[in-house]
Amino acid sequence: MRHTGQNAGRRAALVAALAAMAWLVPSAACAQDAPWRPAKPVTIVVPYAPGGGTDTVARAVARQLGVFWKQPVIVENVPGADGLIGTRRVMDAHPDGSTLLLQVPSIALTRYTPGLRGVDPLQRLQPVTAVAQASNAIVVSGKMPVKTLAEFVAYCQRAGQRCSLGTTDNQSRLLSHQFVAESKLSDAVVVNYRGTSAVVSDLVANNVNLSFTGIAAALPHARAGTLRFLATTGDGRSAVLPEVPTAKEAGFGQYRSINWFGVFGPLGMPAPVTQAIVAALRDAVKDGDVQRTIAAAGAEPVVNSPAEFAAQVREESERLGSLVKRHPLE
């Protein structure tokens, strides 16, 4: 009887051990399947000066990512070399998800920029997702005596009238050179700036007359009457500028450009990290404050998959590459 009792005791102990393991195994599986979260602060590099649409969008989503991840998410502006200095910092970073880049389509033009030939950031970056997209805008100083794009061209074509165009990045520069060439503004000057805030300040003062730029930085000045929107460059009118015609409506449809704000990481970032960042950004843009900030920048939230964003980047790269062959950057 004592032997039987010992066996029964052993069986009871075994059952208890198996029950404990049954609780432990799902817990381990859950820990293994949990979405990636950063174990240290995350930096989002904006390779342009503060104050533009890229900076505005980055700061909006960074705040919300910090809430989700319970880690500081820092936006760092690293301007210079047409965005290459900040971009290179991410290209050279460890691909652990702690260093990200927010860029715009002009990244595809880096390899065509004089002095930077042969450097193609897209070969060393991993597309993660778009965050938002927006039309660009064609803006003039409020001191200019024109109300339409056609009037601006006619004004600048007058004998002895020398107009100037301020640029903010490579895409703006390309569109400006295209505009000067195709509108036959042989005396016009294209002036390159390091960021949106600088060109907007000179537009307000009428030190430069026109710029292809983002909506966000120009909007407050347009409302104050010191700047004037002549057209937007998307397929339809901007929700924040419903009274402003598209370039196509104004008779200049060749200046279509959609500005996406896209997240990239260093090449080699693991798929679970990439997927977790996309999921977090998808939740971040649902936040009301984030949506209002993006809308105020003249943009709309657009979060897509890494494959979809990679295709979007390739398409824009091919379009801009074809355009730059006709209107080389100088």
Side-chain angles (χ1 to χ4, degrees):
M1 295 290 293
R2 188 169 57 243
H3 182 71
T4 304
Q6 287 175 347
N7 287 341
R10 290 193 190 98
R11 284 195 297 271
L14 181 60
V15 169
L18 289 171
M21 289 176 65
W23 283 102
L24 286 172
V25 170
S27 298
C30 287
Q32 190 175 5
D33 294 340
W36 172 87
R37 284 177 180 268
K40 59 183 179 180
V42 173
T43 298
I44 299 177
V45 175
V46 173
Y48 304 106
T54 315
D55 184 60
T56 301
V57 171
R59 293 182 186 279
V61 297
R63 285 191 296 271
Q64 200 60 23
L65 288 176
V67 173
F68 289 151
W69 285 338
K70 296 181 172 53
Q71 286 283 359
V73 179
I74 302 154
V75 174
E76 187 174 350
N77 298 90
V78 188
D82 296 302
L84 182 59
I85 293 177
T87 298
R88 193 188 292 278
R89 179 175 167 188
V90 182
M91 289 159 55
D92 295 337
H94 186 63
D96 61 358
S98 64
T99 307
L100 302 172
L101 174 73
L102 193 71
Q103 257 285 18
V104 292
S106 64
I107 188 176
L109 291 168
T110 303
R111 61 187 173 133
Y112 300 107
T113 304
L116 303 179
R117 292 189 184 279
V119 179
D120 186 359
L122 295 177
Q123 296 298 315
R124 292 181 52 197
L125 289 171
Q126 193 162 313
V128 177
T129 182
V131 175
Q133 69 178 27
S135 298
N136 287 310
I138 306 173
V139 186
V140 293
S141 171
K143 297 177 181 180
M144 288 290 291
V146 300
K147 294 238 169 68
T148 68
L149 202 46
E151 287 179 3
F152 177 83
V153 171
Y155 176 85
C156 295
Q157 285 175 338
R158 292 179 187 171
Q161 185 65 55
R162 191 175 189 183
C163 292
S164 56
L165 291 77
T167 72
T168 58
D169 59 24
N170 277 334
Q171 182 177 221
S172 171
R173 194 164 304 152
L174 176 59
L175 290 172
S176 297
H177 284 294
Q178 180 190 7
F179 185 77
V180 167
E182 295 181 1
S183 299
K184 297 180 172 54
L185 304 181
S186 56
D187 292 330
V189 178
V190 176
V191 184
N192 303 327
Y193 288 79
R194 290 191 175 185
T196 306
S197 296
V199 75
V200 165
S201 295
D202 267 7
L203 276 170
V204 169
N206 204 28
N207 293 329
V208 289
N209 309 127
L210 178 144
S211 182
F212 289 82
T213 188
I215 292 173
L219 191 57
H221 302 281
R223 287 171 174 161
T226 54
L227 294 182
R228 185 176 301 123
F229 288 105
L230 298 186
T232 55
T233 61
D235 295 321
R237 294 196 177 195
S238 168
V240 294
L241 297 170
E243 73 284 1
V244 177
T246 64
K248 184 176 182 179
E249 289 173 329
F252 295 82
Q254 68 271 41
Y255 301 106
R256 175 192 178 276
S257 66
I258 304 293
N259 213 31
W260 41 255
F261 302 92
V263 175
F264 295 82
L267 199 64
M269 210 158 60
V273 175
T274 303
Q275 291 160 4
I277 293 170
V278 173
L281 285 166
R282 189 170 282 120
D283 284 339
V285 300
K286 293 176 183 175
D287 178 75
D289 286 341
V290 173
Q291 290 187 348
R292 283 187 286 274
T293 302
I294 289 175
E300 57 179 318
V302 179
V303 177
N304 48 15
S305 71
E308 289 169 334
F309 182 50
Q312 193 174 5
V313 172
R314 280 195 304 273
E315 180 183 351
E316 190 67 5
S317 181
E318 290 168 4
R319 185 185 76 83
L320 291 174
S322 173
L323 192 56
V324 81
K325 287 175 183 175
R326 301 199 304 272
H327 306 285
L329 295 170
E330 298 175 358

